[in-house]
Amino acid sequence: MTERVHPGDSPPTSGEHSVPKPATSSPEKPAPQPGTYVIQIPKDQIYRVPPPENARRYAHLSKRKPRRSTCRSCCCCLLTTILALLLAAAIAAAVIYFVFKPESPNYSVESVAIKGFNLTSPSPLSPEFDVTVRAHNPNDKIGIYYEKGSSVKVYYDDINLCNGALPAFFQPTNNVTLFKTALKGSGIELNNAVLRTLSDQQNKGAVPFSLKLRAPVKIKVGSIKTWKITIKVTCKITVDKLTAASKVVSNDCDYGVDIW
């Protein structure tokens, strides 16, 4: 119930005497001005029942709460699904590893035949490298599909001399394959200092090169083929001379894989 407080009593008439009110310890509240009213409303009615101009806003906010809850539940379901898929993939990878025991293939450069090097002329070179690469698949239950789109490059001191590609083929289990690739370059300009260095190294019988091989492959496990992964092979090779009869003096290859 609301309480209505009327204005203070009017001053006493001439025949009446005012009775003094007893003093209290609490300070007196200021009296309202004449002709005004003070209405006291309980707080619960102020917060619980919005005024008409705010009723639409209140209804809009009350409708948004279920959406927030729905979004939260969707995020939880999505996160749970992702974690379940990751766990299943980890279990599958562990099963494949312990059942098939995969081993990394081995690569080496068996021979290199070189043409197109004239170290006495400053003219641009058109070098050609006929490279034979040995690939060994030591796995008992895993085959390797070499797909199209590979690249083979030969560098001398970070100078790209020639490029080529591997043939597409399938390498079965416990297999050694020798594949040959012809690498060609054109318009390769070498300054006099590089030409002199190459000439000195050829006289010593040790000319270093770097061969970089990138090949997209698919792994065959039983009757299942994986997605494409990229094999990365980098070989540091040294030949005795820059001719078609050159021989590989040293050969060191590193192997890596890009899963995605």
Side-chain angles (χ1 to χ4, degrees):
M1 293 291 293
T2 59
E3 297 179 1
R4 177 175 294 180
V5 180
H6 295 279
D9 296 336
S10 58
T13 59
S14 59
E16 297 178 351
H17 297 281
S18 60
V19 179
K21 297 181 179 180
T24 57
S25 59
S26 60
E28 295 184 357
K29 296 183 180 179
Q33 297 181 2
T36 61
Y37 293 91
V38 177
I39 300 176
Q40 297 180 353
I41 301 175
K43 291 184 178 180
D44 57 348
Q45 293 186 13
I46 296 176
Y47 290 99
R48 185 161 51 192
V49 181
E53 62 271 16
N54 293 334
R56 183 177 302 175
R57 182 184 303 175
Y58 177 81
H60 176 66
L61 294 175
S62 63
K63 291 180 181 179
R64 291 179 58 185
K65 291 181 179 179
R67 293 183 181 178
R68 186 178 302 173
S69 177
T70 303
C71 293
R72 187 177 302 170
S73 61
C74 291
C75 292
C76 291
C77 292
L78 179 61
L79 182 60
T80 303
T81 303
I82 293 175
L83 292 177
L85 291 176
L86 291 176
L87 180 60
I91 294 174
V95 170
I96 291 174
Y97 179 80
F98 286 107
V99 172
F100 295 96
K101 297 181 180 179
E103 297 182 41
S104 300
N106 301 316
Y107 298 92
S108 61
V109 178
E110 294 294 297
S111 64
V112 178
I114 302 173
K115 295 182 291 184
F117 272 91
N118 185 357
L119 302 182
T120 61
S121 173
S123 301
L125 304 178
S126 297
E128 298 182 10
F129 282 62
D130 292 333
V131 181
T132 301
V133 178
R134 180 181 185 271
H136 176 212
N137 178 15
N139 294 283
D140 296 330
K141 301 178 182 180
I142 296 177
I144 303 175
Y145 285 93
Y146 288 83
E147 304 284 332
K148 294 181 180 180
S150 64
S151 66
V152 183
K153 300 180 180 181
V154 171
Y155 291 84
Y156 174 78
D157 196 19
D158 295 332
I159 301 172
N160 185 202
L161 299 177
C162 51
N163 306 297
L166 297 180
F169 67 97
F170 172 70
Q171 187 175 27
T173 61
N174 288 320
N175 174 264
V176 175
T177 300
L178 297 177
F179 50 84
K180 297 182 180 180
T181 178
L183 313 179
K184 295 183 180 181
S186 62
I188 307 300
E189 296 183 358
L190 303 178
N191 58 39
N192 292 331
V194 174
L195 292 174
R196 285 195 299 269
T197 302
L198 280 170
S199 180
D200 293 341
Q201 291 172 338
Q202 182 175 224
N203 293 334
K204 296 177 182 178
V207 184
F209 292 102
S210 176
L211 182 143
K212 294 185 179 181
L213 185 154
R214 303 291 182 268
V217 302
K218 290 184 178 180
I219 306 301
K220 182 183 178 184
V221 182
S223 59
I224 300 175
K225 290 172 63 175
T226 65
W227 62 93
K228 283 186 180 181
I229 63 177
T230 302
I231 288 179
K232 303 187 299 182
V233 180
T234 301
C235 297
K236 302 294 184 181
I237 60 175
T238 303
V239 298
D240 59 346
K241 50 190 173 184
L242 301 174
T243 66
S246 63
K247 295 181 179 180
V248 177
V249 177
S250 65
N251 169 11
D252 183 21
C253 296
D254 292 329
Y255 167 81
V257 172
D258 281 340
I259 300 296
W260 308 107

